[in-house]
Amino acid sequence: MDAPASNLERPRFDRIEYTTVAEQVRDRLMDSIRDGYFLPGSQLPAERQLCEEFGVARTSVREAIQQLVSLGVVQRKSSRLHVVDYLGVVSSPAAGHEREIRELFETRRVIEISMTGLAAQKATDRTRAEIACLSEGFDSDVELSQFRDQDHHFHAAIATACGNPLLAELYGRVLRALFESPAFAALLYTQINRASVQEIIKNSAEHHRRIASAIVDGDSKIASIAAGDHLAEVERRMLSQLI
Amino acid sequence: MDAPASNLERPRFDRIEYTTVAEQVRDRLMDSIRDGYFLPGSQLPAERQLCEEFGVARTSVREAIQQLVSLGVVQRKSSRLHVVDYLGVVSSPAAGHEREIRELFETRRVIEISMTGLAAQKATDRTRAEIACLSEGFDSDVELSQFRDQDHHFHAAIATACGNPLLAELYGRVLRALFESPAFAALLYTQINRASVQEIIKNSAEHHRRIASAIVDGDSKIASIAAGDHLAEVERRMLSQLI
DNA sequence: ATATCTTGGTCTGATGGTCAGACCATAACC
DNA sequence: GGTTATGGTCTGACCATCAGACCAAGATAT
């Protein structure tokens, strides 16, 4: 049998980068610290606990911890593991963060406004009801961590309702990038900003109800406008903390 | 020093899955076969060539190949490696391709229209000149592979010009997904569609010049409209082949 | 204050994966 | 037919990971 005449012209294969278990553990721990699950100075789980959760040997965990110690992220104190008291690069609100946050919100705008309009057009009765229900669940006085959870579910429901899995996935990436951004985390978790954050939560509850209402009515134009208004408001309030 | 009072309540860490080099090689090869770079029956590169490209030892490559042989994807024939003649699940052009292509174009619409408008607003003089120059390089009678290369450069320049790296990256992913879609590849490379593909190339050249002109003029509204027109035309012509 | 538990520190030996390299037989190519 | 390319096989060295054991010190409970 002759080989077929036409294959796609293939690119050269990329080199394979070998990632050790210890490196993966290190990165996971770094991510969780950056995400705010372990604040500066706080204690990390014991090595044996980490072994059990990650499903790896203790030597691998110790290797990862040692790397984090070398990076200045973790210290061994009183026979316990702690995040260092002062994190330099991981969470300092420095210059350039405004730009990063602006880009994240701009990207959100590009995707979210159109996607919300699509959701208003294409949602099924069931997803419309679900979005309405989720929007009613936002309480102005809720705790930040609970708000984040509800916010995630609300926006995920809208992304699903737009009926385009690729778009929904891309949007998920953008939201993740925003919430994993050190700049954003710094704003959310710095003690100074607690009152402002509470204000954003209160404000968002109302905006979410407006978006949901437009989606339920199938009005894609109003839904898009509501999404744009919401984003503009959140961005304005977040960025006013940086100036 | 007391530990801070409030950490976010953290989820349990997920188990770390250890992936060997051989498994990564196997998956890379599988992906390239599924993407249409190696058609059924066609020959794969030699082991030594794969070692060199992936940057790994031959034993690792051989392990990967053996796995693919066991999976029935690759066969050893006449002292050469070949994709098997009949692949079951990997690459059949089946129903559902219209939906896939529609979703890809919809996603492109959401991102590309706004991004082109942003590029018109924010491009520097240098990037405007570059985009104009690239748009003049499209020849109506060019070969498909050359057109794809030029098309990629043109759209990449616009993505860069919009000044938002995250958005540019997401857009790159969408374009890649489109060009790597087996359905799209089937349309492009099937012999029957050659005349239609040539028509799309001719049509695109003119559209690209319009987009570039609006960007050079800094007219974001016209740029967005031109981008939307271009996408609608390409989608219409591509999908008319499926019906 | 004492006993117990928890935690980090250190070490061992086994196993699997990966590497570079060598050599051979066979097929492909000129 | 001669040369080159390719897959097949093997070797020895190294690295990463594992499970497990034992010890010292600190934390916690009584």
Side-chain angles (χ1 to χ4, degrees):
Chain A
M1 165 159 169
D2 287 358
S6 78
N7 285 343
L8 265 190
E9 195 171 316
R10 71 166 184 101
R12 177 190 170 89
F13 287 114
D14 293 333
R15 296 182 66 85
I16 285 193
E17 304 295 343
Y18 181 71
T19 307
T20 65
V21 165
E23 284 166 349
Q24 291 181 56
V25 171
R26 178 201 65 199
D27 293 344
R28 293 272 189 92
L29 290 174
M30 180 71 97
D31 287 347
S32 62
I33 291 166
R34 192 184 55 222
D35 290 349
Y37 292 117
F38 302 105
L39 295 179
S42 67
Q43 184 179 333
L44 291 171
E47 291 177 355
R48 289 177 176 89
Q49 178 64 21
L50 294 175
C51 294
E52 198 259 312
E53 291 187 25
F54 287 123
V56 302
R58 192 145 80 92
T59 37
S60 300
V61 167
R62 294 181 58 75
E63 176 66 33
I65 300 287
Q66 193 53 48
Q67 288 179 33
L68 290 173
V69 170
S70 297
L71 288 171
V73 175
V74 168
Q75 63 186 337
R76 301 182 188 271
K77 192 170 61 172
S78 301
S79 80
R80 295 293 189 268
L81 299 173
H82 287 77
V83 177
V84 296
D85 296 321
Y86 302 101
L87 287 170
V89 294
V90 181
S91 65
S92 77
H97 283 202
E98 179 179 340
R99 179 189 179 89
E100 183 182 340
I101 293 186
R102 281 196 192 278
E103 283 172 359
L104 284 165
F105 272 99
E106 182 178 70
T107 306
R108 232 184 124 173
R109 232 176 351 258
V110 166
I111 299 184
E112 195 167 325
I113 291 177
S114 299
M115 190 184 73
T116 305
L118 287 172
Q121 281 174 35
K122 297 177 165 190
T124 62
D125 287 347
R126 198 180 60 83
T127 52
R128 289 183 210 272
E130 185 188 356
I131 289 164
C133 182
L134 288 169
S135 76
E136 297 299 334
F138 288 96
D139 182 354
S140 299
D141 298 322
V142 81
E143 269 272 298
L144 175 58
S145 60
Q146 188 181 342
F147 173 80
R148 282 184 62 177
D149 190 52
Q150 288 175 315
D151 193 61
H152 174 253
H153 279 103
F154 180 70
H155 287 290
I158 294 177
T160 301
C162 85
N164 183 331
L166 176 59
L167 196 51
E169 191 219 331
L170 288 176
Y171 179 64
R173 282 174 199 247
V174 175
L175 271 201
R176 225 159 22 245
L178 181 64
F179 281 100
E180 286 173 6
S181 152
F184 195 71
L187 289 182
L188 281 186
Y189 293 104
T190 306
Q191 210 65 304
I192 312 173
N193 300 323
R194 281 290 156 83
S196 303
V197 170
Q198 218 50 42
E199 199 60 34
I200 292 177
I201 290 176
K202 190 180 308 181
N203 188 268
S204 293
E206 180 53 34
H207 275 281
H208 287 171
R209 276 189 277 274
R210 256 190 253 155
I211 292 169
S213 176
I215 289 176
V216 168
D217 292 344
D219 191 333
S220 73
K221 188 168 174 188
I222 299 290
S224 299
I225 290 170
D229 289 345
H230 174 44
L231 280 174
E233 186 69 16
V234 176
E235 185 184 3
R236 185 181 66 77
R237 287 176 187 271
M238 294 300 301
L239 288 177
S240 69
Q241 311 306 324
L242 285 176
I243 309 175
Chain B
M1 169 159 165
D2 286 357
S6 79
N7 284 346
L8 264 191
E9 194 170 320
R10 70 166 183 101
R12 178 189 170 89
F13 287 114
D14 294 332
R15 296 182 65 84
I16 285 194
E17 303 296 343
Y18 180 72
T19 307
T20 64
V21 165
E23 284 167 349
Q24 291 180 57
V25 171
R26 177 201 68 199
D27 293 344
R28 294 273 190 93
L29 290 174
M30 180 71 97
D31 288 347
S32 62
I33 290 167
R34 190 187 54 225
D35 291 347
Y37 292 118
F38 302 105
L39 296 178
S42 67
Q43 184 178 333
L44 291 171
E47 291 177 358
R48 288 178 176 88
Q49 177 65 20
L50 295 174
C51 293
E52 198 259 312
E53 290 188 22
F54 286 124
V56 301
R58 193 144 82 90
T59 35
S60 302
V61 167
R62 294 182 59 74
E63 176 65 32
I65 300 287
Q66 193 52 46
Q67 288 178 35
L68 289 172
V69 169
S70 297
L71 288 172
V73 175
V74 168
Q75 63 186 336
R76 300 183 188 272
K77 192 168 59 170
S78 301
S79 80
R80 294 293 189 269
L81 301 173
H82 287 77
V83 178
V84 297
D85 295 322
Y86 302 101
L87 286 170
V89 294
V90 181
S91 66
S92 74
H97 282 203
E98 180 180 340
R99 180 188 178 90
E100 184 183 341
I101 291 185
R102 281 196 191 279
E103 283 171 359
L104 283 164
F105 272 100
E106 182 177 70
T107 307
R108 234 185 121 174
R109 227 171 0 253
V110 166
I111 299 184
E112 195 167 326
I113 290 177
S114 300
M115 190 186 71
T116 305
L118 287 172
Q121 282 175 33
K122 297 175 164 192
T124 62
D125 287 348
R126 197 179 62 82
T127 52
R128 288 181 211 274
E130 185 188 356
I131 287 164
C133 181
L134 288 169
S135 75
E136 296 300 335
F138 287 96
D139 183 355
S140 300
D141 297 323
V142 80
E143 269 270 299
L144 175 59
S145 60
Q146 187 181 344
F147 173 80
R148 281 184 63 177
D149 190 51
Q150 290 175 316
D151 192 61
H152 173 252
H153 281 101
F154 179 69
H155 287 290
I158 293 177
T160 300
C162 85
N164 182 331
L166 176 58
L167 196 50
E169 191 219 330
L170 289 177
Y171 180 62
R173 283 173 199 248
V174 175
L175 272 201
R176 229 163 12 248
L178 180 64
F179 281 100
E180 286 173 6
S181 152
F184 194 71
L187 288 182
L188 281 186
Y189 291 102
T190 306
Q191 213 62 313
I192 310 173
N193 299 323
R194 282 288 158 84
S196 302
V197 170
Q198 222 42 51
E199 199 61 35
I200 292 176
I201 290 177
K202 189 179 307 179
N203 190 271
S204 292
E206 179 53 35
H207 275 279
H208 286 170
R209 276 189 277 275
R210 255 192 253 155
I211 291 169
S213 176
I215 289 175
V216 168
D217 292 343
D219 190 332
S220 72
K221 188 168 173 187
I222 299 290
S224 298
I225 290 170
D229 289 345
H230 174 43
L231 280 175
E233 186 68 16
V234 175
E235 184 184 5
R236 186 181 67 77
R237 287 176 186 271
M238 294 299 303
L239 288 177
S240 69
Q241 310 307 324
L242 284 174
I243 308 175

